Amino acid sequence: MHLENVVIHLFNVILALIIAKKLFPKAPLWIVYLTAFIFASHPINTEAVDWISARTDLLAGFFSLLGFAFLIKKKIPYITISATSFLAGLLCKESAIGFILFAFIFVFFFYKEEFSLKQKLFFTFVFILALACYFFMRYPELRFWNIKEKAIIPNIIPKGKATAPISVTYTIGVFFKVIGFYFKKLFIPWPLNFAITKINKTFYLFFGIFVLLLIAYSLVKEKNGVSMSLTWSLCFMLVAVIVALKRLAWTPLAERYVYISSFGMALFVGYTMLKVNKLDSLRLKKAVFSAIGIYASVFVISTAYRNYIWKDNYRLYLDTVKKSPDFGPAHNELAIALLAKGRKEEAKKEFEIAAKLTKGSPMSLIAESNVLMLEQEKADPEKLLPQYDMLINKSGDNKNIKCTILRSAIKYISHVVLDKKISEKERYMLYKKEIEYFKKLAPLENKAFCCYRIGQLYLALGNKKKAVPYFKRAYELADKDAYFKKPAYKLFKKISLEIGK
């Protein structure tokens, strides 16, 4: 699975090389290759490449870069392919929306003399058509309209703003802070962190304002490659601003969100090197080239080490907890990694920390459920099951949390029932409790299997009359290839005949 991410990133690097060659036609080849190398080895891209779930960022990046590579060719057939690539990128992830904004600026501002009126009109038509197609296909499923759970991150989104209406002042403040933070990360990516929960809000507010003023000044003063590269980065950051503003993820700020923007940073370095290469001062050239060489070397070392961190869940979440000690979900994931290594006592402590840090949120219920899971071997069912009931009631309408807790409780009962030391009375009580849990789980997931298990449990209790309708329902709901479909039908027929006798 990880290999696919590496391959996609490799294709993106090749596209970056092709684009750099086209944008730097008279540049020495080493500058072109350095541009692609900076993009390839940027430490901030490690998260997108190493995390399988971030594949959508890589694919959106691929189609955005492919669209740009064809747009540079300027001819109408290539503009059509560019618009199609834009649509494909949008279907991979909404972050590709930044390409249409950049494309319009590129065609109507940076390269306006090189596109004819006919090409500009055709460009406008096909790109708006591509955008319309996207909304037609995806509108009902757009995450921006359907999201229900919102993350609350200190220093970025104040707790008091979690449910309050978003004001214009608040929106502008978040916009500047996020832009400032991400531009700093593009050029100075350290510290690298999987769970970014706190930033220096005052510094990044003013730094964001400074960056936007700098881009505006460069666009007005001289529309060159430097301003174009910064514009690319900015356009693709805008969706990342929406993620932070609408609190759409467990951490509204994340390194993977600027994967596509990092290409703009690489172009910036390339254009800078191109300008330096034209200087008459040999000493200044050597100084700048040496500095860039050291900078690129640090990138390589940092990326190599970050890959080492990402190869092991324990190392990754230990690093995350060190950098974000107040982030409960990271402690929960570290505990799971410790469990995989057989370090149960350490895992229990981390689960307890996670529950404490996330108190009052759905995440705390997961952490508390995990603590109960660790106590299963020692605790008595009479003490443990009421705690599971309490967590199930607390989960409310949160389907995912409730399912997780119910599965854990059912697993615990199954483990206890296998113990030959329990009495028949205890076994009877546990079977009834397991039926109760499966009935609660059935409306939430895999209803056919839940019905089948309920039927089996009623049989174990000797209640054939109640078992029959559940076996029938299991047979009716099960997929054709479900292993329990035929047994459910046979039991339904057999018990129905027995009851009929």
Side-chain angles (χ1 to χ4, degrees), residues 300-484:
V300 171
I301 295 168
S302 182
T303 299
Y305 179 70
R306 196 65 186 160
N307 273 286
Y308 166 76
I309 294 290
W310 267 89
K311 281 188 176 181
D312 180 76
N313 277 357
Y314 170 70
R315 287 197 297 263
L316 175 62
Y317 289 109
L318 183 63
D319 177 80
T320 305
V321 163
K322 285 178 180 177
K323 293 170 181 174
S324 300
D326 297 329
F327 190 54
H331 285 275
N332 188 74
E333 294 300 325
L334 176 59
I336 293 170
L338 285 165
L339 268 183
K341 292 182 177 290
R343 294 156 65 174
K344 292 185 179 180
E345 288 304 315
E346 292 175 76
K348 185 180 177 182
K349 289 179 182 178
E350 291 297 329
F351 280 136
E352 288 170 348
I353 293 170
K356 185 178 179 181
L357 290 171
T358 57
K359 191 173 182 179
S361 74
M363 184 66 232
S364 69
L365 300 180
I366 291 290
E368 289 177 49
S369 174
N370 288 332
V371 172
L372 293 182
M373 177 187 68
L374 288 176
E375 294 177 350
Q376 287 180 1
E377 294 180 6
K378 301 176 183 178
D380 188 275
E382 290 183 5
K383 292 181 179 179
L384 211 58
L385 290 177
Q387 294 183 59
Y388 272 117
D389 289 336
M390 180 186 67
L391 294 178
I392 291 165
N393 291 332
K394 281 184 177 180
S395 64
D397 296 327
N398 194 310
K399 177 182 173 181
N400 293 333
I401 302 293
K402 184 169 283 189
C403 286
T404 300
I405 298 169
L406 284 166
R407 285 194 298 265
S408 180
I410 289 167
K411 186 178 179 182
Y412 168 61
I413 292 175
S414 300
H415 171 74
V416 175
V417 167
L418 291 174
D419 189 349
K420 296 178 181 178
K421 295 178 182 179
I422 64 170
S423 65
E424 284 304 312
K425 185 180 179 181
E426 288 174 317
R427 196 180 300 275
Y428 180 84
M429 181 273 291
L430 289 169
Y431 280 148
K432 287 189 71 176
K433 198 66 180 176
E434 194 171 358
I435 288 171
E436 179 190 325
Y437 288 150
F438 268 116
K439 284 182 177 179
K440 289 180 179 179
L441 187 63
L444 304 176
E445 67 171 28
N446 205 345
K447 191 171 185 178
F449 177 73
C450 290
C451 288
Y452 180 65
R453 285 294 293 130
I454 293 169
Q456 286 182 315
L457 290 165
Y458 272 126
L459 268 186
L461 291 172
N463 195 332
K464 293 181 179 181
K465 188 175 181 181
K466 284 191 174 181
V468 168
Y470 284 100
F471 284 129
K472 181 184 179 184
R473 194 73 176 138
Y475 169 74
E476 291 172 346
L477 294 174
D479 294 331
K480 290 181 180 179
D481 57 347
Y483 77 90
F484 57 86

Side-chain angles (χ1 to χ4, degrees), residues 42-260:
H42 202 303
I44 208 169
N45 291 339
T46 312
E47 183 176 308
V49 177
D50 283 352
W51 195 23
I52 293 171
S53 297
R55 184 169 299 166
T56 52
D57 293 277
L58 298 174
L59 289 169
F62 171 77
F63 287 112
S64 296
L65 290 169
L66 184 66
F68 189 25
F70 279 108
L71 186 63
I72 294 171
K73 293 178 180 288
K74 307 179 191 74
K75 294 180 180 178
I76 284 179
Y78 295 130
I79 293 173
T80 306
I81 298 172
S82 180
T84 306
S85 296
F86 164 63
L87 176 59
L90 271 181
L91 292 173
C92 292
K93 191 170 183 179
E94 290 83 2
S95 55
I97 193 75
F99 181 62
I100 190 171
L101 179 58
F102 174 79
F104 269 93
I105 296 171
F106 180 80
V107 171
F108 289 94
F109 184 73
F110 287 111
Y111 275 50
K112 65 179 181 180
E113 292 84 6
E114 299 188 32
F115 283 86
S116 66
L117 179 61
K118 180 181 177 181
Q119 289 171 324
K120 287 177 182 176
L121 290 172
F122 183 78
F123 160 82
T124 304
F125 170 73
V126 291
F127 268 80
I128 290 177
L129 178 64
L131 189 62
C133 288
Y134 166 74
F135 276 103
F136 177 77
M137 289 187 280
R138 289 292 297 275
Y139 179 79
E141 302 300 325
L142 278 177
R143 66 187 68 176
F144 296 153
W145 277 265
N146 288 340
I147 205 76
K148 291 181 179 179
E149 293 180 18
K150 297 181 178 182
I152 302 171
I153 303 301
N155 278 13
I156 304 168
I157 299 168
K159 290 184 179 179
K161 294 286 185 179
T163 55
I166 297 175
S167 67
V168 175
T169 307
Y170 167 75
T171 301
I172 294 170
V174 171
F175 175 77
F176 285 130
K177 282 184 276 186
V178 173
I179 293 298
F181 175 77
Y182 280 134
F183 264 101
K184 177 265 176 187
K185 280 291 242 182
L186 284 180
F187 292 91
I188 307 174
W190 307 281
L192 296 164
N193 188 3
F194 183 43
I196 303 164
T197 59
K198 290 184 179 180
I199 64 172
N200 187 325
K201 57 182 180 180
T202 304
F203 172 77
Y204 287 114
L205 174 67
F206 287 105
F207 187 66
I209 294 170
F210 168 75
V211 167
L212 290 171
L213 288 174
L214 183 65
I215 293 173
Y217 174 78
S218 65
L219 288 171
V220 173
K221 184 74 175 177
E222 185 181 2
K223 53 178 183 179
N224 56 18
V226 171
S227 57
M228 185 173 73
S229 62
L230 294 174
T231 302
W232 170 281
S233 294
L234 178 63
C235 288
F236 284 98
M237 275 182 200
L238 295 180
V239 171
V241 173
I242 296 172
V243 172
L245 191 62
K246 286 186 168 284
R247 313 137 208 173
L248 301 178
W250 77 324
T251 57
L253 295 175
E255 291 161 4
R256 64 187 178 279
Y257 296 155
V258 285
Y259 174 78
I260 309 175

